[in-house]
Amino acid sequence: MSKVLPSFDFVRPTSLEGALAALAVPGARVCAGGSGLVEELSLSSLAGVTLVDIARIPGLDVFTAHPKIGVRLGARVPMSSVLSDIWIAKRWAALHEAIEQVHPPEIANVATVIGAACSAGADFDISIALLAHRARLHLAGPNGVREVLLEAFFAMQGAGLVAGDLVTTMTMPPPAADAGSAFKRLRIPESDVDISHLAVAGYVALDAAKETLADVCLSLRLGAGLPVRLTAAEDVLAGAPAETGSYRRAAGMVLDIVDPSVAAHPLLARWISVLVRDVLEQAASRARSRHDPAEDAHLAY
Amino acid sequence: MARQNINLSVNGNFECVAIEPNTLLIDLVRDELGLTAASNACDGRVCGVCLLLLDGRPVHGCGVLAVTAEGRAIRTAEGLAGRDGTPHPVRQAFAACAAAACERCAPAMLLASVALLENNPSPTREDVKRSLSGIACPCGGYAGVIDAVLYAARGSDPREHGARDAGPAEAVVAGAAFRPGSAAQGPAAEADAFVHQQSMGDPDDDMAERQGVDPVAFRLANLPSGCAEGFAACLGLTAKRIGWAEKWDGRGRPRAGRYRSGIGLSCTYGADAHAVFAEVMVDIETGTVMLSAIAVAQVIGTADNELAIRRALEQDLIRRIGHTFGQGGRHVRLPTAMDVPESDFVFARSAAVTRARPALVSFSAAVANAVRDAAGIRLRTLPIHVGTVLPELIRNAVEADPQIENEE
């Protein structure tokens, strides 16, 4: 017998209404893939809870992705299903790359995309890729059905949720015709910087002439911190020429936005700056050529 | 907490068990069903030896609640044999290629390999490495397993994948030839070699650089008298196979571009002398060092088994990669199959060696020399990673052009 998890109750509703009723009980938690919950349970931070398994609820395994329609995925869709989708790889490349870097890769066979998005503290960075793709959460709960932007969800640190809320689906809008995205993650081994890694994701849409940045969405995460959307940098980039100088200016701005303490770590500041620049360069390059992101595998850190 | 009945298929057999909801899948398989090939060694998604197949996909049994397996199919390593007891073809490939997976990790490696081949019958080497990357084996026997999976997939000449006509007994020999943690061969010896060759000034590499002589030619011209017979020819052949003449074009040449490649070597002399060549790519913006390939020239005894020695060297290499690149640190993972570089081994047999001691003591020094070639910096401490390389790159750039410091 290995580690002993604390006791909890486990219920398996077969309808959405049944699940919402079960989730209305104080302390109830949704169990989709369950891998994040096992980790929380092993830290004994969830003793005495009721886990509400959503495996038998119809309609939560929906997954469609099309460049003209967008992405719609249900709460039960594991990361591996998304990873193997050809449109995700080509047009939602940041998300594809973020899932590809989940370690160990077996997690992707169990953990769900929505579970990873909602637990922003998880040790992988799906959430910042979803921010870059402007993901929206669709919730069902005691207050009816509603829609929340993922960044608003993070900004409220989950405070927008009420007891009994269940995230049923997530949607992402279709990318513009000449758009590309990228995700980069840099591991920082033991050093003066007490951050294990940093990750940046970006979405870039170009104008018809492919010379100007028409739309940019940029997000960053330092270690296990909350994902942040870099809106000030996005505003500076919108309408700017799609060239290295613009990316450098944005990268410089990011250091002011993120956290003043970053300036105390020149190496960390440099890594952030390089990653932001690289993500913007690569996303813009993909927007121009729409080439297969797999061709950039050799540029991974 | 009420016990729950769950129905599931285990290795093709229907099972109905009553379990507590807080039971992990690995505990259900081991304690309730008595299938003990998979074990639970780390309690938390680190080692991967609890790997099982859930509906044909690999999962870590220590990270899945057993109740969520209701109505699903589980496969364990025990279920891989045929009904008549015939070993699974992948298990046979492991034996044919002398894949030195240890007893602890072999079931997980087998299951991960079977899952890969069932979903992708023609995997690339990268596919195989990724499929095994969730298993962190302290013995580091990944290279043999990768060869075995490719052999099982392609069914080609086993010798292309490091295989030979070897039975399971020889596979065991391959694992036993190297004793992990041995004082003479472990990281302590590695650190000693690095200190000797870098901090104290590499007697070969630094002198060759100062004299403007090709490091291979310098070493060939200055071999110690006690060096084993055949080592010079072996070193020359290895240099040729890694393409030293084309890749080495002299230190001090102008470097351009962000990603800079470099090549270096380091030698350890004596009766069972060896040389390690390393090729790296340095990203001068982030300080990332990527090990692209290695080649090893090794003197072995006349009675030594080449494949067994090669497998032992590959295992030792993985441990040294972890030590050199600091992958066993607080923040990062242990080396996995993803860290296995392209490797080439050239052996010279010598009557002076009774039994070779396969240990790549010169590995980290070779990497440091390759970094020196690529980026012009001399690393004098281990480990080598972005946190140690980038400061050196900045210091080097400021020394070359003090104006940069003001701009920074």
Side-chain angles (χ1 to χ4, degrees):
Chain A
M1 190 80 174
S2 55
K3 66 190 168 195
V4 179
L5 300 180
S7 302
F8 55 84
D9 287 322
F10 190 84
V11 293
R12 289 193 185 110
T14 53
S15 67
L16 187 58
E17 294 71 27
L20 294 177
L23 285 167
V25 175
R29 292 283 299 266
V30 178
C31 176
S35 64
L37 287 172
V38 169
E39 204 154 314
E40 284 188 64
L41 284 163
S42 63
L43 297 171
S44 295
S45 56
L46 284 181
V49 298
T50 299
L51 297 190
V52 181
D53 184 19
I54 58 171
R56 293 180 179 179
I57 300 173
L60 297 186
D61 55 353
V62 61
F63 173 46
T64 55
H66 191 280
K68 291 200 180 343
I69 299 167
V71 175
R72 180 178 182 79
L73 57 90
R76 278 170 47 199
V77 177
M79 294 181 196
S80 55
S81 300
V82 178
L83 184 65
S84 57
D85 186 274
I86 187 71
W87 283 123
I88 295 288
K90 284 182 180 294
R91 305 297 279 134
W92 286 271
L95 177 59
H96 177 87
E97 288 173 326
I99 297 177
E100 206 172 37
Q101 292 191 37
V102 167
H103 184 84
E106 287 78 13
I107 288 177
N109 292 329
V110 179
T112 61
V113 175
I114 289 182
C118 293
S119 53
D123 57 357
F124 32 80
D125 299 294
I126 310 296
S127 48
I128 66 154
L130 294 169
L131 278 187
H133 290 304
R134 296 193 171 99
R136 287 173 173 274
L137 301 175
H138 299 255
L139 298 100
N143 299 335
V145 177
R146 64 193 200 284
E147 198 179 308
V148 183
L149 255 178
L150 187 60
E151 63 185 279
F153 179 82
F154 290 141
M156 294 183 289
Q157 301 201 14
L161 292 179
V162 297
D165 270 345
L166 170 66
V167 180
T168 54
T169 44
M170 174 187 284
T171 53
M172 282 179 274
D178 294 311
S181 62
F183 169 89
K184 298 243 173 230
R185 188 177 201 261
L186 182 72
R187 283 185 294 143
I188 306 172
E190 282 180 279
S191 66
D192 295 341
V193 182
D194 193 25
I195 288 177
S196 61
H197 72 279
L198 60 99
V200 178
Y203 163 88
V204 166
L206 302 177
D207 67 345
K210 299 188 180 181
E211 288 173 354
T212 305
L213 299 164
D215 183 23
V216 177
C217 194
L218 202 56
S219 55
L220 173 142
R221 186 175 181 216
L222 294 176
L226 272 180
V228 287
R229 174 114 176 252
L230 306 168
T231 46
E234 293 168 9
D235 293 343
V236 168
L237 285 165
E243 59 184 32
T244 307
S246 305
Y247 310 143
R248 280 185 186 278
R249 273 194 300 281
M253 276 199 70
V254 166
L255 299 179
D256 300 329
I257 303 166
V258 176
D259 185 346
S261 65
V262 167
H265 295 292
L267 292 183
L268 182 58
R270 184 173 174 131
W271 284 318
I272 292 173
S273 177
V274 171
L275 254 68
V276 168
R277 224 168 57 211
D278 283 357
V279 160
L280 290 169
E281 291 266 17
Q282 198 166 44
S285 163
R286 287 172 178 166
R288 278 194 198 91
S289 63
R290 287 211 211 160
H291 73 281
D292 190 338
E295 289 167 19
D296 294 326
H298 67 290
L299 298 179
Y301 298 116
Chain B
M1 188 170 64
R3 286 176 80 86
Q4 305 221 351
N5 286 321
I6 62 165
N7 302 306
L8 66 170
S9 158
V10 181
N11 295 329
N13 302 316
F14 174 79
E15 300 279 356
C16 179
V17 283
I19 54 169
E20 302 284 347
N22 63 351
T23 306
L24 292 170
L25 190 58
I26 185 66
D27 295 328
L28 166 71
V29 167
R30 284 179 60 85
D31 303 337
E32 304 287 336
L33 303 172
L35 301 168
T36 54
S39 53
N40 193 0
C42 73
D43 276 354
R45 298 199 314 211
V46 176
C47 69
V49 299
C50 57
L51 192 136
L52 303 163
L53 300 188
L54 189 59
D55 288 341
R57 290 181 177 274
V59 300
H60 286 182
C62 73
V64 177
L65 292 172
V67 282
T68 62
E70 158 73 21
R72 304 174 76 176
I74 297 173
R75 278 171 83 187
T76 68
E78 288 91 341
L80 290 181
R83 291 201 179 278
D84 58 352
T86 316
H88 191 279
V90 175
R91 188 184 286 271
Q92 293 176 26
F94 271 46
C97 293
C102 60
E103 199 174 299
R104 173 179 169 274
C105 302
M109 298 255 195
L110 277 166
L111 283 170
S113 307
V114 168
L116 170 73
L117 294 176
E118 286 179 352
N119 287 305
N120 178 6
S122 306
T124 63
R125 195 172 183 84
E126 284 306 305
D127 292 335
V128 178
K129 285 163 73 170
R130 182 169 163 74
S131 72
L132 298 170
S133 66
I135 304 158
C137 176
C139 311
Y142 306 121
V145 177
I146 295 168
D147 285 345
V149 177
L150 290 171
Y151 169 48
R154 296 172 188 168
S156 51
D157 185 343
R159 285 168 297 188
E160 285 177 24
H161 306 291
R164 43 166 283 166
D165 295 328
E170 286 202 329
V172 173
V173 171
F178 172 69
R179 292 179 295 281
S182 152
Q185 299 170 345
E190 172 75 73
D192 287 349
F194 186 84
V195 166
H196 173 67
Q197 298 192 14
Q198 300 297 314
S199 303
M200 308 302 286
D202 188 329
D204 292 335
D205 214 63
D206 277 351
M207 284 173 73
E209 184 177 335
R210 278 197 291 274
Q211 294 177 22
V213 179
D214 179 308
V216 175
F218 183 88
R219 284 168 169 91
L220 285 171
N222 294 284
L223 282 180
S225 54
C227 199
E229 57 175 310
F231 180 63
C234 184
L235 178 61
L237 177 59
T238 312
K240 194 173 171 185
R241 281 170 58 154
I242 201 170
W244 178 273
E246 298 80 44
K247 291 168 184 169
W248 173 269
D249 50 0
R251 294 243 167 91
R253 66 189 188 278
R255 301 285 180 174
R258 173 171 167 181
Y259 296 95
R260 298 179 184 178
S261 60
I263 189 165
L265 87 152
S266 187
C267 300
T268 298
Y269 304 111
D272 51 354
H274 75 271
V276 180
F277 292 78
E279 274 190 87
V280 300
M281 179 83 80
V282 180
D283 173 2
I284 61 156
E285 293 275 3
T286 60
T288 306
V289 176
M290 288 164 275
L291 178 65
S292 327
I294 71 147
V296 175
Q298 171 85 50
V299 175
I300 60 174
T302 49
D304 276 323
N305 176 332
E306 269 189 30
L307 184 58
I309 295 287
R310 176 183 162 167
R311 292 293 182 232
L313 286 170
E314 288 166 340
Q315 284 180 272
D316 188 41
L317 171 66
I318 284 296
R319 292 176 58 254
R320 288 177 195 279
I321 283 174
H323 181 68
T324 303
F325 295 103
Q327 295 183 330
R330 172 165 47 103
H331 288 316
V332 281
R333 60 188 170 78
L334 295 165
T336 69
M338 290 302 287
D339 299 298
V340 176
E342 289 295 321
S343 312
D344 187 20
F345 297 87
V346 179
F347 298 111
R349 291 193 182 274
S350 166
V353 180
T354 48
R355 188 179 179 193
R357 292 173 299 155
L360 299 176
V361 172
S362 300
F363 172 73
S364 56
V367 171
N369 289 341
V371 171
R372 169 79 174 157
D373 180 44
I377 55 171
R378 172 65 75 193
L379 299 170
R380 299 196 185 276
T381 55
L382 290 179
I384 296 171
H385 57 57
V386 290
T388 57
V389 173
L390 187 58
E392 285 299 317
L393 286 167
I394 294 170
R395 190 173 301 126
N396 195 43
V398 169
E399 275 175 18
D401 180 6
Q403 194 66 30
I404 291 175
E405 191 166 25
N406 300 330
E407 289 169 15
E408 294 272 336

